[in-house]
Amino acid sequence: MRAGAARPGPGAAGRRRRSMRAPSGHGKAVKQPQPPVQAAEAAAAKRAARKQAAEEAARRARHLEAISRASGAERELEELVFGESLDVEEDELLQCLASPPRLNAAERDVLQKDSSGLEVENEAKGKFVSKKPAWVDEDDEAEEDVDMTHRYRKDFMKSDAEKTLTKKKLKRRLEEQFQRAMGGVPAWADLENQKKSKKTASDSDTDEDDDLLCRTGNYISTSESLPRGILKMSTCLPANQERFAEGKLATVQFHPSAQVVMTAGQDRSVSLFQVDGIRNPRIQSIYLESFPIYKACFSVDGEQVIATGTHHRMFFVYDMMSGRIIPVQKVRGVEERFLRSFELSPDGSFMLLTGTSGYLHLLSMKTKELISTMKVNGRCTASAFTPDSSKIYSYSKEGEVFIWDVRSRKCLHKFEDEGSLEGKCIAVSRNNQYVACGLAPEDSMLAFEKMPQVKATSLKGFSKSSC
């Protein structure tokens, strides 16, 4: 070491070491090389993605080609509609569809002479496009709503929210109510079955509905118990031989199950006789004081006799099992001056009292209490239950017949007995097929109506307003 040269201290050595490390700490970052295995995997993934994309594009191209390619049946249909040339422009197709093909004179002559020219003309007409209407009325397409709050339509509402219904829904409601009242869809209302029956029926078959109006004769079927030929008959003693009535008889009726006959009349007595054809002994007689009998009738079970008077608001019930006479002084809710005519339902559940001014009072046979009251136009002269006790037919003096539903007490339908001057009595056949209307003595006839015909008219005018 030379003399006079300064010896470097420790600080200089430290600065020299820091300056030597500076390029690696503060210089530009250098990217580390990737391992060979990872680089190969990344390249393989890129190739697989490109290959998958190419396959997807090829698959879509095949699908589009298959969709655009028409099948043989489609090509035949197109040839029939558009002609043999399918490679025509859209404008030419529209022009062909809009205007009919023009024929020259020779072709027209051939079409006129050819026997099959009519078929060719029909085919040419079939290619024409139907014209659109000049204008469309929006009111025709809009569904009209019906106000259900009207008093004639309140019963068809299922909830308070149904204040309005469309005509289709109201029609469906009316059909449902009619089917419930009639116990299903009648045969005459089932159009599909009618079409099938018309196709299968031969020309020689006659219509049963029109048979009643086309001929006269016996409508009762042949008896299985009575023999053919002449019936031998002999006169027996009067049924009330042991006690003749002192006045006019109002009722004569056989017991529903026993060989007993009942007589009742204006002599204020009800008598029961055992009918044997030899002596006809009297079983019992009851006397109702100051009560001339207008009508008496056995109950369905045969255990009671119901009797009404000529000028009384009360009626009597005679219990034959206990021997008691039960007076029914007044029925609550029935404001009638006289109670005369009545009918009993075949099932023994109801008693129908015919009041004045067209009122019909439905009573319970068990309690003799009022169930409901119905009203007909004019004065009601006669009533009858159907065999199943589900409906009531009431006949007015003006010749109108009203049909009532016993369960709901609503009028199902009304029809007029044509030619009737004054109705007197009415009856329903046991098979529920016919109803017979009896007219006044000056008419001297019975008017038969066939039940299916009555129902056929009821479907057209089926509503409460028809009553």
Side-chain angles (χ1 to χ4, degrees), residues 428-449:
V428 183
S429 61
R430 290 186 178 181
N431 60 0
N432 202 18
Q433 188 178 7
Y434 298 99
V435 55
C437 302
L439 311 182
E442 54 268 19
D443 297 336
S444 301
M445 63 178 294
L446 281 176
F448 282 91
E449 294 286 349

Side-chain angles (χ1 to χ4, degrees), residues 139-410:
D139 296 335
D140 295 341
E141 298 180 357
E143 293 186 0
E144 183 180 355
D145 293 336
V146 181
D147 184 15
M148 299 302 294
T149 59
H150 193 272
R151 60 192 182 96
Y152 290 151
R153 293 186 286 267
K154 282 185 178 180
D155 297 333
F156 300 112
M157 295 174 59
K158 294 184 179 180
S159 63
D160 297 336
E162 293 181 340
K163 294 184 179 180
T164 58
L165 284 179
T166 60
K167 287 186 176 180
K168 292 183 179 180
K169 290 184 178 180
L170 181 58
K171 180 181 178 182
R172 196 177 302 113
R173 294 279 175 88
L174 292 173
E175 292 176 352
E176 291 175 358
Q177 183 181 8
F178 178 77
Q179 292 176 9
R180 286 196 301 268
M182 302 303 295
V185 181
W188 53 264
D190 196 348
L191 300 179
E192 294 183 358
N193 292 338
Q194 284 187 356
K195 291 179 180 178
K196 292 180 181 178
S197 61
K198 287 181 180 179
K199 291 180 180 179
T200 55
S202 61
D203 297 338
S204 61
D205 294 339
T206 58
D207 191 4
E208 295 181 357
D209 294 343
D210 299 335
D211 188 41
L212 180 64
L213 304 177
C214 294
R215 67 180 178 88
T216 59
N218 187 13
Y219 292 96
I220 303 176
S221 60
T222 58
S223 175
E224 298 179 356
S225 58
L226 293 177
R228 293 183 178 181
I230 300 174
L231 299 178
K232 295 181 180 180
M233 301 176 64
S234 60
T235 304
C236 301
L237 294 176
N240 58 347
Q241 174 69 27
E242 293 194 358
R243 186 188 181 280
F244 288 109
E246 297 179 0
K248 181 181 177 181
L249 284 178
T251 299
V252 177
Q253 184 185 10
F254 280 98
H255 193 274
S257 58
Q259 198 169 349
V260 177
V261 68
M262 174 188 65
T263 62
Q266 295 182 0
D267 61 350
R268 305 172 181 85
S269 65
V270 177
S271 301
L272 301 176
F273 300 91
Q274 178 73 35
V275 180
D276 58 3
I278 301 174
R279 292 181 58 249
N280 300 331
R282 180 171 62 93
I283 300 174
Q284 189 180 11
S285 294
I286 60 174
Y287 181 76
L288 304 176
E289 186 177 357
S290 302
F291 196 84
I293 297 174
Y294 180 84
K295 181 179 180 179
C297 183
F298 282 113
S299 61
V300 178
D301 55 7
E303 296 180 357
Q304 294 179 347
V305 175
I306 296 95
T308 57
T310 55
H311 297 85
H312 294 79
R313 299 179 61 180
M314 62 177 296
F315 61 92
F316 285 93
V317 178
Y318 173 52
D319 191 349
M320 294 187 296
M321 304 302 293
S322 61
R324 292 189 307 158
I325 300 176
I326 306 170
V328 181
Q329 297 291 345
K330 179 177 173 53
V331 180
R332 183 180 298 178
V334 178
E335 302 295 335
E336 297 288 347
R337 187 178 178 184
F338 304 127
L339 295 179
R340 294 179 178 176
S341 180
F342 68 94
E343 297 294 334
L344 302 180
S345 62
D347 61 356
S349 301
F350 305 103
M351 177 180 178
L352 184 69
L353 292 173
T354 303
T356 57
S357 302
Y359 286 97
L360 300 172
H361 308 285
L362 189 65
L363 275 63
S364 172
M365 273 295 294
K366 186 176 182 180
T367 61
K368 306 301 186 293
E369 294 181 352
L370 179 66
I371 298 176
S372 179
T373 300
M374 298 162 284
K375 176 73 169 65
V376 302
N377 299 333
R379 184 168 66 89
C380 184
T381 57
S383 299
F385 283 89
T386 54
D388 57 357
S389 303
S390 63
K391 298 177 187 62
I392 298 174
Y393 284 76
S394 57
Y395 197 21
S396 68
K397 186 178 180 181
E398 290 74 16
E400 292 180 329
V401 180
F402 297 81
I403 307 174
W404 304 88
D405 182 34
V406 175
R407 180 175 297 180
S408 62
R409 273 82 65 184
K410 294 180 181 179

Side-chain angles (χ1 to χ4, degrees), residues 81-83 85-99:
V81 176
F82 304 117
S85 179
L86 298 178
D87 299 331
V88 294
E89 298 294 335
E90 183 178 0
D91 296 339
E92 296 179 3
L93 284 177
L94 293 177
Q95 185 177 2
C96 293
L97 291 174
S99 59

